[in-house]
Amino acid sequence: MQTLSENRCFGGMQGVYKHGSNACECDMTFGLYLPPQAALGPVPILWYLSGLTCTHENAMVKAGVQAHAAAHGMAVVFPDTSPRGDGVTDDEAYDLGQGAGFYVNATQEPWAPNFSMWDYVANELPLLLEAHFPVDAARQTITGHSMGGHGALTLAMGLPGRFASASAFAPIANPSASDWGRKQLAAYLGPDESVWADHDSTILMRTKGFDGPVLVDQGSEDQFLDLLKPQVLAEAMAARRQEGSFRMQKGYDHSYFFVSSFMGDHVAFHARALGLS
């Protein structure tokens, strides 16, 4: 593993690291914030999954999470959103290929050799973090924005017992019924829509739910509301009687201004689930 940068931040350390990934068969880059409490022993993990076109860097720089994480003593992991590199398949469209991994394991050509983002986030990267950094893999929480909100919710429901809590900012809530989803799930997983169900948070909420609290924030002025379909996830949460909250935030859009405005709420929510506050 190669250290690309390390910067002091709110008493802790914001690092960026690169390593060879077996899951994605290429080099992968991730950010990791370690709070000052990590100097005393392993700290719990908050995963932050980013959205379309993002790298590990967008949320690391724009989401304003480090100050809140330092206050509660939580590490924050910022994975990339897809495999990358000259040998990795890409597409001319912004919403497919590099920068648009959708947190699935692709089974279809030409994507299958590299696009195994589910395995990377669920299996490979957690083991790497535990081996090299003072983090407590027994205490994990997860959040994300847009495509990353989709990933956070589907990973949380797809890995029972892994995460103490799950949250999302403007998630792609029903991708199997949206143009942000049908295109990508068909490309990566093939035409059998029954296979897509494990990667649709609304379907998972209806059929399985989550064994902890859930927090979803959605901006009322989000320019992508028709693609995100938040109302069906809210209805599924209500029908499931899911522990948690769905909040429509008046006047907010899809940007990191929205994410950073409510990041403190989300970190505090996860801290409560972990028993840190």
Side-chain angles (χ1 to χ4, degrees):
M1 188 170 59
Q2 180 182 355
T3 299
L4 300 183
S5 64
E6 288 184 329
N7 299 94
R8 204 73 176 159
C9 183
F10 293 102
M13 186 67 69
Q14 176 62 64
V16 178
Y17 308 94
K18 181 167 72 173
H19 69 104
S21 168
N22 292 323
C24 297
E25 298 187 14
C26 64
D27 286 343
M28 294 292 288
T29 301
F30 66 93
L32 173 66
Y33 177 69
L34 290 173
Q37 295 87 340
L40 303 176
V43 293
I45 303 167
L46 171 61
W47 291 82
Y48 184 101
L49 305 186
S50 290
L52 286 168
T53 76
C54 291
T55 70
H56 68 281
E57 187 176 35
N58 297 71
M60 192 178 81
V61 174
K62 297 179 180 180
V65 64
Q66 290 91 343
H68 304 296
H72 291 286
M74 301 168 66
V76 186
V77 187
F78 306 92
D80 203 347
T81 56
S82 77
R84 298 181 191 271
D86 292 340
V88 176
T89 301
D90 200 8
D91 190 271
E92 293 181 356
Y94 75 94
D95 59 354
L96 187 67
Q98 295 187 35
F102 262 75
Y103 305 101
V104 303
N105 289 338
T107 59
Q108 306 298 300
E109 295 298 333
W111 311 105
N114 300 108
F115 282 73
S116 294
M117 289 301 296
W118 179 281
D119 278 351
Y120 179 68
V121 173
N123 301 314
E124 185 175 24
L125 189 52
L127 292 175
L128 184 75
L129 294 172
E130 191 174 19
H132 292 278
F133 299 98
V135 296
D136 183 355
R139 296 187 294 163
Q140 299 187 50
T141 62
I142 192 166
T143 190
H145 174 225
S146 194
M147 179 185 74
H150 140 80
L153 294 175
T154 56
L155 280 156
M157 288 184 277
L159 299 170
R162 173 73 63 89
F163 303 102
S165 50
S167 73
F169 300 87
I172 301 175
N174 191 198
S176 61
S178 168
D179 288 342
W180 271 0
R182 293 189 62 81
K183 170 184 175 180
Q184 294 83 0
L185 295 176
Y188 296 142
L189 302 179
D192 181 358
E193 295 189 20
S194 67
V195 178
W196 303 359
D198 287 342
H199 300 283
D200 188 306
S201 58
T202 294
I203 294 174
L204 287 171
M205 184 59 69
R206 289 170 181 160
T207 58
K208 298 176 66 172
F210 177 61
D211 53 358
V214 173
L215 172 62
V216 178
D217 273 322
Q218 172 64 61
S220 68
E221 302 307 309
D222 193 313
Q223 57 271 46
F224 304 115
L225 275 175
D226 289 345
L227 293 165
L228 301 171
K229 299 189 178 298
Q231 68 280 2
V232 293
L233 177 59
E235 291 165 0
M237 289 177 65
R240 187 78 190 179
R241 299 181 183 177
Q242 172 66 47
E243 177 189 4
S245 302
F246 180 98
R247 309 191 305 188
M248 186 64 72
Q249 301 293 358
K250 185 173 177 59
Y252 285 87
D253 60 15
H254 198 71
S255 69
Y256 272 100
F257 296 112
F258 158 63
V259 173
S260 61
S261 295
F262 300 100
M263 181 56 73
D265 288 356
H266 282 243
V267 176
F269 163 79
H270 292 297
R272 287 192 297 272
L274 291 165
L276 298 177
S277 62

